[in-house]
């Protein structure tokens, strides 16, 4: 599992139950860059899970303005299977594995000119 510590502001989503979190992946003290994780925010009773703080930022100006809330994760553990891993993975032993890309996804732009 990974530990996440992050704070963010959310527009019209202060009652969310899951979040897509972008966080630095660190394994044994080595940084592997920003990766995406699907993180559960609330339990079955709609209360925030341990290490998670959610709140409302208060009223905004304007008629019908949407809610703005905040989300803070403090050392939240996330299972490895919650990492979005199309091009990279972390093995159960904690080894970082980067999948080789077969080709540049933007190469067709260069060939058309």
């Amino acid at each position: 599992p990974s530990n996440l510590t992050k704070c963010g502001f959310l527009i019209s989503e202060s009652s969310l139950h899951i979040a897509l979190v972008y966080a630095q992946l660190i394994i044994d003290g080595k940084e592997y860059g920003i990766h995406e994780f699907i993180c559960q925010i609330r339990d079955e009773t709609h209360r925030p899970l341990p290490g998670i703080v959610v709140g409302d930022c208060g009223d905004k100006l304007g008629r019908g303005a949407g809610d703005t809330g905040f989300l803070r994760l403090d050392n939240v553990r996330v299972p490895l299977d919650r990492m979005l891993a199309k091009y990279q993975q972390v093995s159960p032993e904690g080894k970082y594995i980067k999948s080789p890309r077969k080709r540049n996804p933007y190469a067709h732009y260069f060939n058309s000119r």
Side-chain angles (χ1 to χ4, degrees):
S2 299
N3 289 347
L4 297 178
T5 301
K6 178 146 177 85
C7 184
F9 292 91
L10 313 157
I11 299 173
S12 300
E13 297 296 335
S14 57
S15 62
L16 57 88
H17 289 264
I18 61 170
L20 177 63
V21 177
Y22 292 81
Q24 177 70 254
L25 176 64
I26 302 171
I27 302 172
D28 294 330
K30 183 176 179 186
E31 295 181 358
Y32 288 93
I34 302 296
H35 289 72
E36 301 86 11
F37 299 87
I38 296 175
C39 188
Q40 182 179 349
I41 303 301
R42 298 177 188 268
D43 64 14
E44 309 79 34
T45 65
H46 307 288
R47 301 229 184 260
L49 294 171
I52 297 176
V53 177
V54 294
D56 185 34
C57 292
D59 294 334
K60 293 191 325 188
L61 297 175
R63 184 172 176 228
D67 252 358
T68 301
F70 68 87
L71 169 67
R72 188 180 80 215
L73 293 94
D74 186 21
N75 223 11
V76 174
R77 294 187 64 80
V78 179
L80 287 176
D81 64 354
R82 299 300 173 101
M83 184 171 105
L84 299 182
K86 183 174 182 179
Y87 297 111
Q88 65 281 327
Q89 297 177 350
V90 178
S91 72
E93 297 79 30
K95 182 179 177 189
Y96 183 76
I97 304 164
K98 188 169 185 175
S99 302
R101 290 191 180 188
K102 297 187 189 238
R103 66 180 186 90
N104 183 345
Y106 301 105
H108 67 278
Y109 290 119
F110 299 113
N111 293 334
S112 66
R113 293 185 180 213

